[in-house]
Amino acid sequence: MSPAIPNETMDDNRRQIIDAAENRYRNYGYGKTTMAEIAEDVGMSAANLYRYFKNKHEIGSACAQRCMAERIDQLSVIVRKPGLNAHEKLRSYVIENLMYNYQNAGVDQKINELVQIIVNENKDVVYKQVEKEIGLLAEILSQGNSSKEFAIENVLRTARSIQSATIMFNVPTFLGLYPIEQFQEMANGVVDLILTGISKR
Amino acid sequence: MSPAIPNETMDDNRRQIIDAAENRYRNYGYGKTTMAEIAEDVGMSAANLYRYFKNKHEIGSACAQRCMAERIDQLSVIVRKPGLNAHEKLRSYVIENLMYNYQNAGVDQKINELVQIIVNENKDVVYKQVEKEIGLLAEILSQGNSSKEFAIENVLRTARSIQSATIMFNVPTFLGLYPIEQFQEMANGVVDLILTGISKR
DNA sequence: ATAATGAATATATTATTGATTATTCACTAT
DNA sequence: ATAGTGAATAATCAATAATATATTCATTAT
């Protein structure tokens, strides 16, 4: 039987493969990257890649998931940045997200293509990412409750709603529709709305 | 020279053509519908269609725009429905929109394909539709201001923000991601958020 | 003039083929 | 046993040929 816990070499090789793949994807895109090329970059035969990944798609998937995880890390920096109150953090979070996606949509579109492809065949990847984003939003909301800025009863439900309400600034699909300035205005408008609501007080 | 105001026959023929086209689109999709088929359905030659529309794309565009206009009409029924207060109207508006799009995304996907195609080459169609939706939302907000339910300073800006915040329930792209019940929950959550906000009062 | 057409041409779609690439497998080295 | 390979096969992609469709135009009918 195979070992319950894969050994270090296994993990290291997998990482190397993802590194090589990501580098290729960035330069030539997912579709134009061959197994043989990845194998050569990492110094093994194409056949041997299959000892580490089930197929080409799994390499792309691993790469996409790692990129998405890195993005969560970037966002969590905002969430934990000292000297910002919860209002500011929420705005920062949404705007930063927008800027990141706008950048990526233009400059670094090759990785976007990858994420798009992976996501289309594997919804679970989206679900996981969304859950993590909701987790970060929930952190901000909890902080706001602690500091008495907010008075939120159901933090998780509210975090989910905010995630839904800001989806437009989170998804590359829309980002071609308007110039960035307009998106910033829209994002700020939505944040204002979330913070204050519309009912008379 | 051609008459400044096209005569009745012109308009009637155009309408008939759009009718025939829509029927074909619904059954076979935009791509599989030929000019010859539309022409036959309406009892004329393919060549003659060009007296009424510049090209195939223009027929599709006219059809898509008519469908979108019909949808605005449906939504405006809610906005003007008596016996609902502004809170209820806003919720109704968002949920109705969601249900309509969910239906369409599944059942009647052929027309969606059409809208998608048209929209891809002509962003103006989207802009116009969005402006109309914002107009309806602004109506609801104004009613809420009159009835003292809301206290909104900038109605138009707020309407724009609500439009952005509810885009997820408005765009077929997302609607495959979750079952309808979950979307309803999400939509209600977002409406709650918009109505009450999160800042302590 | 205006409405309409059939036939001619330009454009786009689909089917076919050949070439490339992914994946498997029998086998070798450690 | 585990890591690896080259060669065989299966799946996919890209180029081309064949077909179908969109569009134009010269001409006819009203």
Side-chain angles (χ1 to χ4, degrees), chain B residues 22-42:
Chain B
E22 181 171 341
N23 195 42
R24 286 276 174 182
Y25 296 157
R26 282 191 189 282
N27 288 312
Y28 309 105
Y30 178 73
K32 294 280 182 200
T33 297
T34 69
M35 295 294 272
E37 288 167 341
I38 296 172
E40 189 180 6
D41 290 351
V42 84

mmCIF file of all heavy atoms in Angstrom, chain B residues 22-42:
data_model
loop_
_atom_site.group_PDB
_atom_site.id
_atom_site.type_symbol
_atom_site.label_atom_id
_atom_site.label_comp_id
_atom_site.label_asym_id
_atom_site.label_seq_id
_atom_site.Cartn_x
_atom_site.Cartn_y
_atom_site.Cartn_z
ATOM 1 N N GLU B 22 -37.479 35.575 -33.183
ATOM 2 C CA GLU B 22 -37.519 35.174 -31.780
ATOM 3 C C GLU B 22 -37.986 33.738 -31.654
ATOM 4 O O GLU B 22 -37.430 32.941 -30.886
ATOM 5 C CB GLU B 22 -38.418 36.102 -30.964
ATOM 6 C CG GLU B 22 -38.457 35.708 -29.493
ATOM 7 C CD GLU B 22 -39.173 36.721 -28.609
ATOM 8 O OE1 GLU B 22 -39.339 37.885 -29.029
ATOM 9 O OE2 GLU B 22 -39.564 36.340 -27.495
ATOM 10 N N ASN B 23 -38.996 33.404 -32.421
ATOM 11 C CA ASN B 23 -39.525 32.047 -32.392
ATOM 12 C C ASN B 23 -38.448 31.032 -32.784
ATOM 13 O O ASN B 23 -38.262 30.012 -32.106
ATOM 14 C CB ASN B 23 -40.725 31.956 -33.340
ATOM 15 C CG ASN B 23 -41.526 30.704 -33.085
ATOM 16 O OD1 ASN B 23 -41.754 30.342 -31.934
ATOM 17 N ND2 ASN B 23 -41.915 30.032 -34.152
ATOM 18 N N ARG B 24 -37.738 31.332 -33.844
ATOM 19 C CA ARG B 24 -36.633 30.462 -34.259
ATOM 20 C C ARG B 24 -35.559 30.390 -33.178
ATOM 21 O O ARG B 24 -35.075 29.321 -32.816
ATOM 22 C CB ARG B 24 -36.010 30.996 -35.550
ATOM 23 C CG ARG B 24 -36.846 30.774 -36.796
ATOM 24 C CD ARG B 24 -36.619 29.385 -37.357
ATOM 25 N NE ARG B 24 -37.524 29.095 -38.472
ATOM 26 C CZ ARG B 24 -37.559 27.927 -39.110
ATOM 27 N NH1 ARG B 24 -36.746 26.953 -38.772
ATOM 28 N NH2 ARG B 24 -38.403 27.739 -40.091
ATOM 29 N N TYR B 25 -35.166 31.535 -32.685
ATOM 30 C CA TYR B 25 -34.117 31.582 -31.657
ATOM 31 C C TYR B 25 -34.496 30.705 -30.478
ATOM 32 O O TYR B 25 -33.675 29.961 -29.952
ATOM 33 C CB TYR B 25 -33.899 33.018 -31.163
ATOM 34 C CG TYR B 25 -33.384 33.985 -32.204
ATOM 35 C CD1 TYR B 25 -33.582 35.354 -32.056
ATOM 36 C CD2 TYR B 25 -32.703 33.548 -33.338
ATOM 37 C CE1 TYR B 25 -33.112 36.263 -32.994
ATOM 38 C CE2 TYR B 25 -32.241 34.442 -34.288
ATOM 39 C CZ TYR B 25 -32.454 35.799 -34.118
ATOM 40 O OH TYR B 25 -31.998 36.697 -35.045
ATOM 41 N N ARG B 26 -35.746 30.825 -30.047
ATOM 42 C CA ARG B 26 -36.187 30.063 -28.873
ATOM 43 C C ARG B 26 -36.071 28.565 -29.102
ATOM 44 O O ARG B 26 -35.759 27.804 -28.192
ATOM 45 C CB ARG B 26 -37.641 30.405 -28.516
ATOM 46 C CG ARG B 26 -37.782 31.717 -27.791
ATOM 47 C CD ARG B 26 -39.173 31.917 -27.226
ATOM 48 N NE ARG B 26 -39.305 33.269 -26.724
ATOM 49 C CZ ARG B 26 -38.803 33.683 -25.562
ATOM 50 N NH1 ARG B 26 -38.149 32.841 -24.795
ATOM 51 N NH2 ARG B 26 -38.953 34.934 -25.176
ATOM 52 N N ASN B 27 -36.355 28.136 -30.313
ATOM 53 C CA ASN B 27 -36.352 26.701 -30.597
ATOM 54 C C ASN B 27 -34.980 26.163 -30.983
ATOM 55 O O ASN B 27 -34.624 25.052 -30.592
ATOM 56 C CB ASN B 27 -37.358 26.382 -31.694
ATOM 57 C CG ASN B 27 -38.791 26.502 -31.197
ATOM 58 O OD1 ASN B 27 -39.116 25.976 -30.145
ATOM 59 N ND2 ASN B 27 -39.621 27.224 -31.935
ATOM 60 N N TYR B 28 -34.265 26.949 -31.762
ATOM 61 C CA TYR B 28 -33.010 26.422 -32.307
ATOM 62 C C TYR B 28 -31.771 27.227 -31.911
ATOM 63 O O TYR B 28 -30.656 26.792 -32.183
ATOM 64 C CB TYR B 28 -33.104 26.358 -33.832
ATOM 65 C CG TYR B 28 -34.335 25.644 -34.332
ATOM 66 C CD1 TYR B 28 -35.402 26.351 -34.866
ATOM 67 C CD2 TYR B 28 -34.422 24.260 -34.239
ATOM 68 C CE1 TYR B 28 -36.542 25.694 -35.319
ATOM 69 C CE2 TYR B 28 -35.556 23.596 -34.688
ATOM 70 C CZ TYR B 28 -36.609 24.317 -35.224
ATOM 71 O OH TYR B 28 -37.734 23.666 -35.666
ATOM 72 N N GLY B 29 -31.974 28.392 -31.309
ATOM 73 C CA GLY B 29 -30.834 29.233 -30.952
ATOM 74 C C GLY B 29 -30.439 30.173 -32.076
ATOM 75 O O GLY B 29 -30.792 29.958 -33.234
ATOM 76 N N TYR B 30 -29.711 31.195 -31.704
ATOM 77 C CA TYR B 30 -29.311 32.243 -32.656
ATOM 78 C C TYR B 30 -28.433 31.676 -33.762
ATOM 79 O O TYR B 30 -28.672 31.903 -34.951
ATOM 80 C CB TYR B 30 -28.568 33.343 -31.897
ATOM 81 C CG TYR B 30 -28.047 34.469 -32.751
ATOM 82 C CD1 TYR B 30 -28.909 35.418 -33.295
ATOM 83 C CD2 TYR B 30 -26.686 34.599 -33.016
ATOM 84 C CE1 TYR B 30 -28.431 36.460 -34.066
ATOM 85 C CE2 TYR B 30 -26.202 35.639 -33.791
ATOM 86 C CZ TYR B 30 -27.076 36.567 -34.315
ATOM 87 O OH TYR B 30 -26.593 37.585 -35.084
ATOM 88 N N GLY B 31 -27.427 30.912 -33.368
ATOM 89 C CA GLY B 31 -26.444 30.396 -34.321
ATOM 90 C C GLY B 31 -27.051 29.498 -35.387
ATOM 91 O O GLY B 31 -26.609 29.499 -36.533
ATOM 92 N N LYS B 32 -28.057 28.740 -35.010
ATOM 93 C CA LYS B 32 -28.645 27.771 -35.937
ATOM 94 C C LYS B 32 -29.819 28.339 -36.723
ATOM 95 O O LYS B 32 -30.516 27.600 -37.419
ATOM 96 C CB LYS B 32 -29.116 26.527 -35.164
ATOM 97 C CG LYS B 32 -27.991 25.738 -34.529
ATOM 98 C CD LYS B 32 -27.293 24.843 -35.533
ATOM 99 C CE LYS B 32 -26.186 24.024 -34.865
ATOM 100 N NZ LYS B 32 -25.217 23.518 -35.833
ATOM 101 N N THR B 33 -30.065 29.616 -36.551
ATOM 102 C CA THR B 33 -31.158 30.236 -37.293
ATOM 103 C C THR B 33 -30.605 30.998 -38.500
ATOM 104 O O THR B 33 -29.742 31.850 -38.349
ATOM 105 C CB THR B 33 -31.942 31.200 -36.383
ATOM 106 O OG1 THR B 33 -32.542 30.472 -35.318
ATOM 107 C CG2 THR B 33 -33.027 31.916 -37.167
ATOM 108 N N THR B 34 -31.105 30.663 -39.672
ATOM 109 C CA THR B 34 -30.589 31.307 -40.884
ATOM 110 C C THR B 34 -31.536 32.405 -41.376
ATOM 111 O O THR B 34 -32.735 32.393 -41.071
ATOM 112 C CB THR B 34 -30.421 30.290 -42.026
ATOM 113 O OG1 THR B 34 -31.719 29.859 -42.451
ATOM 114 C CG2 THR B 34 -29.620 29.088 -41.562
ATOM 115 N N MET B 35 -30.978 33.309 -42.111
ATOM 116 C CA MET B 35 -31.778 34.387 -42.697
ATOM 117 C C MET B 35 -32.884 33.797 -43.569
ATOM 118 O O MET B 35 -34.010 34.284 -43.572
ATOM 119 C CB MET B 35 -30.869 35.301 -43.539
ATOM 120 C CG MET B 35 -29.828 36.032 -42.732
ATOM 121 S SD MET B 35 -30.529 37.225 -41.578
ATOM 122 C CE MET B 35 -30.643 38.687 -42.606
ATOM 123 N N ALA B 36 -32.544 32.753 -44.314
ATOM 124 C CA ALA B 36 -33.517 32.132 -45.216
ATOM 125 C C ALA B 36 -34.726 31.616 -44.428
ATOM 126 O O ALA B 36 -35.872 31.763 -44.856
ATOM 127 C CB ALA B 36 -32.863 31.000 -45.989
ATOM 128 N N GLU B 37 -34.463 31.032 -43.265
ATOM 129 C CA GLU B 37 -35.555 30.503 -42.453
ATOM 130 C C GLU B 37 -36.463 31.616 -41.951
ATOM 131 O O GLU B 37 -37.695 31.519 -42.022
ATOM 132 C CB GLU B 37 -34.987 29.707 -41.274
ATOM 133 C CG GLU B 37 -34.376 28.375 -41.695
ATOM 134 C CD GLU B 37 -33.539 27.745 -40.588
ATOM 135 O OE1 GLU B 37 -33.130 28.454 -39.641
ATOM 136 O OE2 GLU B 37 -33.305 26.534 -40.671
ATOM 137 N N ILE B 38 -35.843 32.663 -41.439
ATOM 138 C CA ILE B 38 -36.639 33.794 -40.963
ATOM 139 C C ILE B 38 -37.485 34.334 -42.108
ATOM 140 O O ILE B 38 -38.688 34.576 -41.965
ATOM 141 C CB ILE B 38 -35.720 34.905 -40.405
ATOM 142 C CG1 ILE B 38 -34.967 34.402 -39.173
ATOM 143 C CG2 ILE B 38 -36.527 36.135 -40.058
ATOM 144 C CD1 ILE B 38 -33.903 35.350 -38.661
ATOM 145 N N ALA B 39 -36.832 34.497 -43.244
ATOM 146 C CA ALA B 39 -37.533 35.045 -44.412
ATOM 147 C C ALA B 39 -38.722 34.170 -44.782
ATOM 148 O O ALA B 39 -39.825 34.670 -45.016
ATOM 149 C CB ALA B 39 -36.558 35.154 -45.580
ATOM 150 N N GLU B 40 -38.489 32.864 -44.809
ATOM 151 C CA GLU B 40 -39.585 31.967 -45.179
ATOM 152 C C GLU B 40 -40.742 32.084 -44.187
ATOM 153 O O GLU B 40 -41.905 32.168 -44.575
ATOM 154 C CB GLU B 40 -39.080 30.522 -45.227
ATOM 155 C CG GLU B 40 -40.134 29.591 -45.826
ATOM 156 C CD GLU B 40 -39.651 28.142 -45.897
ATOM 157 O OE1 GLU B 40 -38.549 27.859 -45.383
ATOM 158 O OE2 GLU B 40 -40.391 27.313 -46.461
ATOM 159 N N ASP B 41 -40.428 32.089 -42.904
ATOM 160 C CA ASP B 41 -41.468 32.190 -41.881
ATOM 161 C C ASP B 41 -42.332 33.421 -42.084
ATOM 162 O O ASP B 41 -43.526 33.417 -41.787
ATOM 163 C CB ASP B 41 -40.835 32.256 -40.475
ATOM 164 C CG ASP B 41 -40.215 30.922 -40.074
ATOM 165 O OD1 ASP B 41 -40.424 29.932 -40.796
ATOM 166 O OD2 ASP B 41 -39.531 30.891 -39.041
ATOM 167 N N VAL B 42 -41.704 34.479 -42.555
ATOM 168 C CA VAL B 42 -42.419 35.744 -42.650
ATOM 169 C C VAL B 42 -42.917 35.958 -44.085
ATOM 170 O O VAL B 42 -43.585 36.958 -44.371
ATOM 171 C CB VAL B 42 -41.497 36.880 -42.142
ATOM 172 C CG1 VAL B 42 -40.574 37.362 -43.234
ATOM 173 C CG2 VAL B 42 -42.292 37.996 -41.514
#
